[in-house]
Amino acid sequence: MDLITTTADLAAACARLAQHPVITVDTEFLRETTYYPLLCVVQLASPDEAVVIDALADGIDLKSFFELMANEKVLKVFHAARQDIEIIWHRAGIVPHPIFDTQVAAMVLGYGDSIAYDQLVERITGHRPDKTHRFTDWSRRPLTKEQAHYAEADVTHLRDVFAALDADLKKRGRSDWVSEEMEILTSPKTYDFHPERAWERLKTRVRKPKELAVLIEVAAWREQEAQSRDVPRSRVMKDDAVGDIATHAPTSIEKLGNLRSLPKGFERSKWGSDIVAAVQRGLARDLAALPKLEKPRNNSNGAAIVELLKVLLRMTSERHAVASKVIATVDDLEQIAGDDNAEVAALQGWRRELFGEAALALKHGKLALAIEKGRVVRVDRP
């Protein structure tokens, strides 16, 4: 294992790694106190070597690493790739391609929903990874030998995990299933996040177009503020406060100060007038041009249908050894219960073949569920 701290050594290592069709990749980062993740360490491995890159070393240029990530001739293997890719996108404006995510592959092969890396390594290789440094401060320097070896192990074990999962996918004919998921993970749209869409991340439920208009503007303001200061969104304003402002739409500093969800005196801070201005922009928006609010489903039996679909989903998951989460979400089931043509993943591609058609058949009484010898079974009806 080499600890790389210079641009020249990094370029040489990336040139060697680029000669291999498959490499494994991992990163160590911090984001507790920042909006953008702080990249601290990068780990790479081929069948021949493993390298640990000090991304915070003085003067180091990561250009050759980013070029390797964009190399179409090299398959990059990650575990739970989204955050790693987000960092690379932010730093270099590229999305690694092609990639393979072992967490997604494990779900497709029935290892459970979003299985942790150490658990997957243990189940496949029998080795229990040392997680002593899981919560270490990767920004502190110098890096210790123990930290470097911990980082290295993440990508060396990943080689064995990838080999086992890839072989199993090919054996079961499910490689294409994973490829579909990789298309989403490698789409720039997944990472090109605009403040105008910040409201979509909030769990706040608004019921009126006016509330939605204010929510969009206030959430966008908070996002821009967090980005410009490079601090977590919650450092600017808590989610419940954003929702509270959307509901009450305070149009003056005085009205803003009456909201209990904001700290006392917050309205007199430099942000008070900015928030009021955001509220006023929201109220001035064309309500007809807003995204459509989800209407409450009128189907009085909707909840019961969803519960039956959950049983069918679990039965399908167990029968085919595929994590239920990767087949359908609860939101998918709720939408299917209300609309045969719902635009959800569960009614597309391999998921429709595996589960979606049966879900629609169950909904329309063409398929029933019964208990036979202590097990739930499906009963097809003419």
Side-chain angles (χ1 to χ4, degrees):
M1 185 273 298
D2 295 322
L3 178 60
I4 293 176
T5 59
T6 69
T7 301
D9 287 345
L10 175 59
C14 288
R16 294 192 303 272
L17 291 162
Q19 303 305 308
H20 296 273
V22 179
I23 63 171
T24 53
V25 188
D26 190 26
T27 65
E28 306 296 343
F29 55 88
L30 296 178
R31 70 180 313 164
E32 287 80 2
T33 60
T34 60
Y35 179 88
Y36 297 105
L38 174 64
L39 179 60
C40 302
V41 176
V42 178
Q43 306 99 283
L44 304 169
S46 71
D48 295 342
E49 66 175 321
V51 297
V52 176
I53 304 160
D54 183 354
L56 298 180
D58 289 341
I60 194 167
D61 187 343
L62 300 179
K63 180 180 177 181
S64 57
F65 164 66
F66 296 132
E67 289 175 345
L68 179 61
M69 292 298 96
N71 190 330
E72 291 289 337
K73 295 181 180 179
V74 181
L75 177 66
K76 279 71 70 174
V77 178
F78 297 83
H79 182 83
R82 187 179 290 265
Q83 291 192 86
D84 300 310
I85 294 175
E86 180 186 353
I87 292 171
I88 296 169
W89 169 260
H90 169 61
R91 290 288 300 269
I94 63 168
V95 175
H97 191 274
I99 71 165
F100 182 100
D101 190 325
T102 55
Q103 187 178 72
V104 173
M107 288 194 287
V108 166
L109 292 170
Y111 284 85
D113 293 345
S114 304
I115 186 170
Y117 175 70
D118 55 335
Q119 295 173 344
L120 185 59
V121 170
E122 186 171 3
R123 289 182 61 179
I124 288 180
T125 70
H127 181 86
R128 180 175 296 178
D130 176 15
K131 304 306 289 185
T132 305
H133 295 282
R134 178 185 295 179
F135 301 110
T136 193
D137 183 353
W138 289 100
S139 67
R140 296 185 65 179
R141 293 296 180 272
L143 291 170
T144 66
K145 289 183 178 179
E146 291 76 16
Q147 284 178 308
H149 284 296
Y150 167 90
E152 175 199 17
D154 276 349
V155 283
T156 53
H157 291 314
L158 195 54
R159 295 182 299 203
D160 298 327
V161 170
F162 165 71
L165 295 177
D166 187 47
D168 201 3
L169 287 169
K170 291 174 180 175
K171 180 180 178 181
R172 299 199 208 180
R174 296 181 180 180
S175 296
D176 289 345
W177 297 11
V178 174
S179 296
E180 287 185 25
E181 297 304 301
M182 295 308 99
E183 289 180 11
I184 298 173
L185 272 176
T186 56
S187 170
K189 292 181 180 179
T190 303
Y191 309 97
D192 190 10
F193 189 73
H194 294 286
E196 181 76 5
R197 293 173 48 209
W199 68 276
E200 296 174 1
R201 294 189 178 209
L202 295 168
K203 295 181 180 179
T204 300
R205 297 285 184 180
V206 291
R207 296 173 175 80
K208 301 176 182 178
K210 183 186 74 171
E211 296 174 353
L212 176 59
V214 174
L215 180 69
I216 291 173
E217 290 292 343
V218 175
W221 169 83
R222 183 181 70 160
E223 199 76 14
Q224 291 170 329
E225 189 69 23
Q227 289 176 352
S228 65
R229 294 171 54 205
D230 195 18
V231 296
R233 299 175 186 89
S234 60
R235 289 279 186 92
V236 178
M237 187 189 300
K238 302 292 186 182
D239 286 358
D240 60 345
V242 176
D244 202 15
I245 292 170
T247 301
H248 291 88
T251 54
S252 68
I253 295 295
E254 292 72 27
K255 291 179 180 178
L256 184 65
N258 292 330
L259 299 184
R260 294 183 178 181
S261 56
L262 291 174
K264 188 175 181 180
F266 184 88
E267 73 280 3
R268 295 190 299 273
S269 71
K270 61 180 180 179
W271 297 314
S273 58
D274 291 341
I275 295 171
V276 170
V279 171
Q280 291 171 342
R281 288 196 301 273
L283 295 175
R285 290 183 71 129
D286 178 5
L287 300 185
L290 294 174
K292 299 297 182 184
L293 285 170
E294 183 179 345
K295 296 180 180 180
R297 297 182 177 93
N298 295 322
N299 188 348
S300 59
N301 294 319
I305 294 173
V306 171
E307 292 305 313
L308 283 175
L309 291 175
K310 287 180 181 179
V311 175
L312 177 65
L313 176 60
R314 181 171 181 176
M315 187 179 74
T316 304
S317 170
E318 293 174 351
R319 177 183 176 186
H320 295 279
V322 182
S324 60
K325 182 179 178 180
V326 82
I327 299 174
T329 65
V330 173
D331 184 62
D332 287 346
L333 302 184
E334 291 176 349
Q335 292 194 52
I336 291 171
D339 183 0
D340 287 2
N341 299 307
E343 294 184 5
V344 296
L347 292 182
Q348 300 173 14
W350 64 268
R351 292 177 177 83
R352 185 181 185 104
E353 181 180 345
L354 195 71
F355 170 76
E357 291 291 352
L360 294 175
L362 177 63
K363 176 183 171 182
H364 293 288
K366 297 179 181 179
L367 180 154
L369 299 178
I371 298 177
E372 185 177 285
K373 297 180 180 180
R375 294 182 59 194
V376 177
V377 296
R378 58 181 284 173
V379 178
D380 294 302
R381 293 179 170 179

